[in-house]
Amino acid sequence: MCASLVAATDDIPEVGTYLFTVREPDGSLEEVVLVDLEDGVAAWKNFCQHETDQRLDRGNGAAVRDGRLICPKHGSMFDAETGYCDNGKAAGSTLVEVDIAVRHGQVYLTDDDLEFVGEGGIDDDGSPSSTSHLTF
Ligand code: FES
């Protein structure tokens, strides 16, 4: 298994999310958010299940309240730990999970289908906003 270092757990805001970009098997880019939980870290693809072009984190951290991620468009709330939504327009859906591991205060991407591209989101032109971690 190949694991890429994504961030230190200290980099994840206590309220909000840490945004990074991955490459999907088909070559497309996708955003992922890290959420600080009481006993660990969760990683979810950064889109709502009601309208999948709707980002939860628009670049400044997603809204998180009482352990739930809030969709900025219609306000559905997703459990930050399980990804499940039981309310509003996205009720009955679950966010798409991304496999990560936390070791010694560092968060690693362990999802075999995804390649780490860089911190931050995808720019409007479709390229990653940061290429500092790009490896060739
Ligand atoms: S787009 Fe997220 S609840 Fe509608």
Side-chain angles (χ1 to χ4, degrees), residues 48 50-51 54 71 73-76 89-90:
C48 184
H50 174 225
E51 292 178 6
Q54 178 58 54
C71 174
K73 187 151 185 192
H74 302 118
S76 279
K89 303 232 185 228

Side-chain angles (χ1 to χ4, degrees), residues 4-7 18 115-120 130-136:
S4 302
L5 177 62
V6 174
Y18 181 93
E115 177 195 338
F116 181 67
V117 173
E119 69 175 293
S130 162
T131 55
S132 58
H133 297 270
L134 201 60
T135 51
F136 293 97

Side-chain angles (χ1 to χ4, degrees), residues 20-53:
F20 68 99
T21 298
V22 296
R23 192 179 311 282
E24 300 273 11
D26 67 1
S28 63
L29 297 175
E30 185 56 85
E31 294 178 359
V32 179
V33 290
L34 297 177
V35 194
D36 194 23
L37 304 174
E38 262 180 32
D39 57 351
V41 178
W44 307 107
K45 290 192 181 171
N46 184 29
F47 56 83
C48 184
Q49 295 300 298
H50 174 225
E51 292 178 6
T52 53
D53 61 350

